[in-house]
């Protein structure tokens, strides 16, 4: 089973799992770059960010005046879903 399918089986949408996997690949990234890597439009990314933050899959950090997005370890989300 492909990792994207596993994430979807855990309750993520196809778009959410694509954003998360892109964030894992990029590491710390600007929203613009994450949207490009995930092949979604920025408004879609901004719409889904609160859900990904709530699930503990993404976090944000501010460096200077820029807001960066960072993928978190998926273990916390998997444990929460299994509980």
């Amino acid at each position: 089973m492909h990792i994207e399918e596993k994430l979807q089986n855990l309750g993520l949408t196809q778009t959410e799992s694509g954003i998360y996997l892109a964030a894992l690949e990029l590491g710390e990234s600007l929203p613009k770059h994450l949207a490009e890597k995930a092949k979604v439009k920025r408004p879609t990314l901004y719409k889904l960010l609160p859900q990904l933050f709530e699930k503990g899959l993404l976090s944000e950090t501010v460096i200077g005046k820029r807001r960066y997005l960072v993928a978190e370890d998926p273990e916390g989300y998997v444990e929460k879903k299994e509980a």
Side-chain angles (χ1 to χ4, degrees), residues 1-14 16-17 20-21 24 51-52 55 57 73-83:
M1 185 181 289
H2 192 267
I3 189 161
E4 193 167 348
E5 290 175 23
K6 288 181 182 180
L7 290 170
Q8 290 173 21
N9 287 340
L10 290 171
L12 294 179
T13 66
Q14 183 176 4
E16 288 173 333
S17 60
Y20 179 65
L21 291 173
L24 282 173
Q51 296 159 344
L52 292 167
K55 293 174 182 177
L57 293 172
D73 188 347
E75 274 187 39
Y77 178 69
V78 172
E79 290 174 5
K80 191 163 57 168
K81 289 301 281 185
E82 292 176 347

Side-chain angles (χ1 to χ4, degrees), residues 33-52:
H33 297 142
L34 180 55
E36 288 171 358
K37 180 74 173 172
K39 297 181 180 147
V40 297
K41 294 182 179 182
R42 275 193 280 169
T44 302
L45 175 68
Y46 286 117
K47 179 182 173 189
L48 295 175
L49 282 179
Q51 296 159 344
L52 292 167

